[in-house]
Amino acid sequence: MDIHVVRPGDTMYRLAQQYGVPMERLIQDNQLENPSQLVVGQTIVVQHPELTHTVRAGDSLYSIAQMHSTTAAQLLRNNPALQGRDLIYPGQTIVVKYTSRPRGSLTVNAYAYPYIDRGLLRATLPYLSQLTPFTYRFDGDDLIPLQDEVLVSAALQSRVVPVLHLSNLNEQEQFSGELAHELLEDEEEQRELIEEILETIDRRGYRGVDVDFEFVRAEDAQSYARFLARLRRSLTSRGLPLMAALAPKTSPNQPGRLYEGIDYHLIAQSVDFALLMTYEWGNLTSPPMAVAPLPQVRQVVEYALTEFYPNQLYLGVPNYGYDWTLPYREGTQARSLSNVEAVRLAWDRRSAIRYDETAQAPWFRYVDDQGREHEVWFEDARSIQAKLNLAFDYGLYGVGVWNLDRPFPQGWAVVNAMAQIRSEM
């Protein structure tokens, strides 16, 4: 795999000639909406086919996979133009193998809201090991239902493990330390909630649980770890794993409401896996900066490895960016946008994309119709490659993507090129 950074004068035709790859392949692999609109600084993922198959009458992805000792899921990953469907026709060229070799194996988890576009879900499922619908909430000992049937069914049909997500979101869709506190001080409510979780697992077909409690009070740190251990015992008896999504700490006594109730040492003994939520340095209310700057992400991983084994850890990866109005003023909010939308915005505003080598993230500035200056930070093929390299460098078990609801074809192309994606079913 090559990652080409667009220069002035580049066209898809010239890139195809430069890399010896058909232009249509470049367009398909990057899912470019308008191939003639290339932005200086934009990335283009270039993959070099090593083995292809020309479809014959009667072929299916399954039969082609058997013929070449691979899987239908791998063929879907290698051919994103199929959009996750086994709809092929005689004469079509299917990429069986690329020349690039993965650095190693990763379990790939991703979150999705129940209302995710169904076509986007179908196209993305081949790149996943696990799918986590967001989110089951609770009120006391009652688990609040989630319209997750379509997501769980789609995951199981694609041989992707569905994971039940439990959070302390309240009715206002905010993480509530008070809601967590009320549960954590009442063992009977915990018992009844765990029973409801187990019943939901059986009814829906979930194959694991991810608990994401945020803004846990400092005085509840031990109670939270005990609750996780209690839930884990119930899951272990069924052969199912427990994961906890953790605020990105860099030291054991890190101050702040987000961190004080999350004790990495205690939680490491209470769960099977942990997902490090290594994003949101740049956020809705922060000054402009990278969402997941690599030095800070590395600090979190290095601290986590003092309490967890590498094969317990998932690295959180953001699938979005932010657009801030300048000059930044405290109390103002940025606008969230997709990575694809960021590139489109750079084109519309005739802005070149830059790359911060320290943060390992792309960014640009533009002026809107009212004459206001903006700064945008997002993710591209280079920044995803940097995060995956970090996960491999530290021997982590997997990555967890927040979230699937926005398309990012380049990101998944990089994942496919760099990782042997584990199948856990």
Side-chain angles (χ1 to χ4, degrees):
M1 175 189 70
D2 292 308
I3 296 177
H4 179 86
V5 180
V6 173
R7 298 186 293 267
D10 278 349
T11 65
M12 294 306 297
Y13 177 75
R14 289 179 181 176
L15 295 185
Q17 288 186 313
Q18 178 179 338
Y19 289 99
V21 176
M23 185 172 68
E24 187 62 27
R25 172 63 53 190
L26 288 178
I27 294 170
Q28 290 179 0
D29 286 354
N30 290 272
Q31 294 289 287
L32 298 176
E33 295 175 350
N34 192 332
S36 66
Q37 296 180 353
L38 296 182
V39 180
V40 172
Q42 173 184 359
T43 53
I44 300 294
V45 176
V46 183
Q47 301 186 85
H48 303 273
E50 179 179 306
L51 177 63
T52 61
H53 176 93
T54 301
V55 177
R56 300 186 295 262
D59 279 349
S60 66
L61 284 186
Y62 179 74
S63 68
I64 296 170
Q66 283 192 313
M67 190 182 310
H68 296 286
S69 300
T70 186
T71 65
Q74 187 62 56
L75 294 180
L76 289 171
R77 291 193 285 268
N78 290 350
N79 298 272
L82 294 176
Q83 294 290 288
R85 295 175 295 190
D86 186 2
L87 295 179
I88 57 178
Y89 55 86
Q92 185 177 11
T93 299
I94 298 295
V95 176
V96 177
K97 184 188 299 184
Y98 287 105
T99 57
S100 59
R101 295 293 178 263
R103 278 200 62 179
S105 297
L106 285 176
T107 290
V108 180
N109 187 317
Y111 297 92
Y113 284 95
Y115 48 76
I116 184 175
D117 178 84
R118 299 302 184 242
L120 177 58
L121 175 66
R122 182 186 62 243
T124 313
L125 277 171
Y127 300 92
L128 303 184
S129 312
Q130 303 166 338
L131 176 68
T132 306
F134 188 86
T135 175
Y136 276 88
R137 300 185 293 112
F138 61 90
D139 182 7
D141 56 6
D142 293 324
L143 195 64
I144 298 173
L146 180 68
Q147 300 300 315
D148 55 355
E149 297 94 335
V150 171
L151 270 66
V152 174
S153 175
L156 291 171
Q157 289 176 17
S158 297
R159 299 191 60 78
V160 171
V161 170
V163 177
L164 184 148
H165 187 268
L166 177 72
S167 72
N168 61 327
L169 281 183
N170 60 20
E171 292 180 350
Q172 290 73 44
E173 299 293 318
Q174 297 176 335
F175 287 97
S176 169
E178 177 62 28
L179 184 63
H181 175 74
E182 292 173 359
L183 175 70
L184 296 175
E185 69 175 1
D186 190 325
E187 291 194 358
E188 181 59 23
E189 283 195 359
Q190 293 176 40
R191 183 188 66 78
E192 293 179 5
L193 181 62
I194 290 173
E195 284 186 2
E196 281 207 54
I197 291 171
L198 296 177
E199 290 172 4
T200 303
I201 286 172
D202 290 342
R203 187 171 65 254
R204 290 284 195 254
Y206 280 107
R207 306 290 179 90
V209 174
D210 174 14
V211 178
D212 177 11
F213 282 12
E214 300 185 25
F215 298 105
V216 176
R217 296 178 180 179
E219 63 266 28
D220 289 333
Q222 292 189 358
S223 298
Y224 182 40
R226 284 196 296 269
F227 168 68
L228 291 172
R230 187 176 186 180
L231 176 56
R232 182 192 188 190
R233 287 193 295 271
S234 296
L235 293 171
T236 299
S237 67
R238 296 165 176 250
L240 302 177
L242 174 64
M243 176 164 63
L246 304 181
K249 297 182 68 167
T250 57
S251 63
N253 300 313
Q254 187 168 341
R257 290 178 54 240
L258 186 62
Y259 311 106
E260 291 170 350
I262 305 299
D263 188 316
Y264 277 27
H265 178 73
L266 295 177
I267 292 173
Q269 303 170 59
S270 305
V271 299
D272 300 293
F273 300 100
L275 185 144
L276 305 174
M277 293 188 286
T278 40
Y279 33 77
E280 287 291 276
W281 277 270
N283 58 63
L284 282 173
T285 59
S286 76
M289 66 180 297
V291 174
L294 204 67
Q296 287 89 324
V297 172
R298 181 178 287 106
Q299 279 186 297
V300 174
V301 171
E302 289 179 349
Y303 167 61
L305 287 171
T306 67
E307 303 292 354
F308 293 88
Y309 293 108
N311 62 3
Q312 286 183 284
L313 293 175
Y314 290 73
L315 181 71
V317 177
N319 178 31
Y320 58 94
Y322 287 110
D323 177 348
W324 288 267
T325 303
L326 301 179
Y328 168 77
R329 293 184 176 88
E330 190 171 351
T332 59
Q333 282 204 348
R335 179 175 71 94
S336 177
L337 76 175
S338 74
N339 303 312
V340 172
E341 188 180 357
V343 175
R344 187 186 310 124
L345 179 61
W347 167 265
D348 290 341
R349 294 297 169 177
R350 300 297 187 264
S351 297
I353 295 170
R354 311 179 197 180
Y355 194 76
D356 188 301
E357 294 291 344
T358 299
Q360 288 289 299
W363 68 282
F364 63 92
R365 287 182 179 166
Y366 73 92
V367 177
D368 67 21
D369 292 337
Q370 285 74 46
R372 297 172 301 186
E373 191 174 15
H374 291 246
E375 186 166 309
V376 177
W377 289 79
F378 63 107
E379 303 291 329
D380 69 4
R382 293 167 292 182
S383 66
I384 296 300
Q385 182 182 52
K387 292 173 179 62
L388 293 180
N389 275 328
L390 188 147
F392 282 121
D393 289 345
Y394 288 97
L396 305 188
Y397 184 73
V399 294
V401 177
W402 177 264
N403 58 52
L404 288 191
D405 292 62
R406 291 164 165 170
F408 187 26
Q410 281 195 353
W412 297 114
V414 173
V415 170
N416 184 41
M418 294 186 64
Q420 181 66 44
I421 299 170
R422 291 192 188 97
S423 174
E424 301 204 334
M425 287 188 67

